[in-house]
Each structure stands twice: as C-alpha cells, then as structure tokens.
Amino acid sequence: MGRLLVYCVLLLLPAVELMAQQQSAPVPPEEETDLFDVIRAWRKKPPPPPVQAGKKMIIASPVIGSNPSAGFVFGAAAQMAFYRGDPATTRISSGAASLTLSTKEQLVFNVRFHSFSEGNDWFIEGDNRFQNTSQKIYGFGADTPSSAALDTNFDFVRIHETISRRVAGDLYIGGGFLFDSHANVHSEIESDPNSPPSPYWVRSSPTAATT
C-alpha cells in the first residue's frame, strides 16, 4: 500500500508542476535578459528604453552562399518584430522575408509571419513561398543507389494563411487556407535517360495536354 502511494505521488508531480507553470504569470519584457543586455552591461551602457506598443524593430542583412544544386546564391533578408498591444499582456508579433537569386537561374521568395492582437485574443499566421528551384529525386524503395539520383527543376508555390480566436487560456480555435503546388517538374538535363515519363511528371508538365 505504501509503495502504491509513492508511485501515485510520483505520477502526479509532473501534472502539478505543469499546472503551476501554466498559472504563473509571464515574465514582463523589462525583466527578461538576453545576450544584448549582457553585452550592454559589460560595456557599462545604460539599459535600452522600454518597449512600446507599435514600435517596430527591424533588422536586414545580405544573403550570400553557394551549394551544388543552386550554384552561387545572393540576395537579401529582413525581419521585423513589434507588439500590437501592451507588452506586459500581449505576445510579440514578427515577420520575415527573403529574396534570393542564383547563378543557375533559381529564384526563391519567402514571406512568413505570426501576429497576436492586443491581449492575445486573435492569432494570425502566414507561410508563403514562391520558388523556382531544384532538388534531387530518387526512385521508390530503400535500395535506390545514390548514383541513380536525378537532378530536377520545378516551381513550388505555398500559400498558408490561418486565423485563430482564443477560447480559453492558450487554447485557440480557427481556420485558414492551405495551398501547395509543385509544377513544371523537369530534368535539369533534358536528354537525361534516367527521366522516363511518369504520371506525376506528365501531369506537372505545361505541355502535357499536347503530348
């Protein structure tokens, strides 16, 4: 009986701890400490002014890189963060966008964001991608050798937009529009003998109706 009681207590402890964490109030932004705060204190600089609702924090940087499938990649990226209400009661909203081009004529444009209304009553989220890119594809089965990989180019579009309403605590209910499309899939080398026509390949081709 005593051993059973100990087991019950051990099983209940995580649940009690979780409830305590959920009921505890969030830490106000002015009481949080990040790396920039540590560097500012080390340099003996005064603390930054309090964060105000609606004030946008923006950072931008160039994008430079390379990989075998895309070649040399260059472009720009930016991120923005802000509060749509009192920072003490409203979660931070943010968005990020990037545009890159490559020496192999690949274009990638991404826009993602999530936004909380004042008091966190509404939550809006978006993930949008417009890409002309490439990827290696393989045959079905786990025995397909890496030498059989086929370099393909394709157009990819993603439009994901959702909106949710808070109903209780951190529980949100909502809906949205989710769209994904892979189109114009074709071999990087048009005469590649390893690219026989397949139902997906034919349906994704803009000339499928005339062939």
Side-chain angles (χ1 to χ4, degrees):
M1 181 65 181
R3 182 175 298 179
L4 178 60
L5 179 61
V6 172
Y7 288 158
C8 291
V9 172
L10 290 176
L11 290 173
L12 288 174
L13 279 176
V16 174
E17 182 179 358
L18 178 61
M19 292 177 61
Q21 292 177 354
Q22 292 178 343
Q23 294 175 356
S24 59
V27 178
E30 62 271 11
E31 296 182 10
E32 294 180 346
T33 301
D34 57 21
L35 178 60
F36 294 103
D37 294 327
V38 175
I39 296 176
R40 188 178 293 106
W42 176 69
R43 297 181 60 191
K44 298 181 180 180
K45 297 291 185 179
V51 179
Q52 298 178 353
K55 182 180 180 180
K56 296 178 175 60
M57 298 163 279
I58 301 175
I59 183 171
S61 67
V63 176
I64 301 175
S66 66
N67 61 66
S69 62
F72 182 72
V73 180
F74 60 94
Q79 184 170 0
M80 179 175 64
F82 58 95
Y83 289 94
R84 299 184 62 190
D86 185 352
T89 58
T90 305
R91 294 177 179 174
I92 194 169
S93 300
S94 67
S98 63
L99 174 65
T100 60
L101 300 172
S102 78
T103 54
K104 292 189 177 182
E105 299 181 350
Q106 296 184 13
L107 172 67
V108 176
F109 178 54
N110 298 326
V111 178
R112 304 180 188 180
F113 64 89
H114 69 265
S115 177
F116 289 92
S117 66
E118 184 174 2
N120 305 323
D121 290 330
W122 290 92
F123 176 61
I124 304 174
E125 186 174 25
D127 181 359
N128 305 289
R129 311 179 192 185
F130 307 90
Q131 305 175 356
N132 172 250
T133 184
S134 64
Q135 182 177 352
K136 290 183 180 294
I137 61 173
Y138 301 84
F140 291 109
D143 296 331
T144 303
S146 58
S147 59
L150 180 64
D151 292 320
T152 61
N153 293 329
F154 61 94
D155 298 328
F156 174 63
V157 175
R158 165 173 290 179
I159 302 176
H160 288 190
E161 306 289 346
T162 60
I163 182 171
S164 305
R165 169 72 177 181
R166 185 170 64 175
V167 294
D170 290 333
L171 177 63
Y172 287 77
I173 296 179
F177 176 78
L178 306 179
F179 173 81
D180 291 278
S181 171
H182 289 79
N184 194 25
V185 182
H186 59 278
S187 172
E188 192 172 278
I189 304 175
E190 297 297 341
S191 60
D192 195 328
N194 294 323
S195 59
S198 66
Y200 178 78
W201 194 286
V202 173
R203 286 181 63 85
S204 67
S205 173
T207 59
T210 60
T211 56

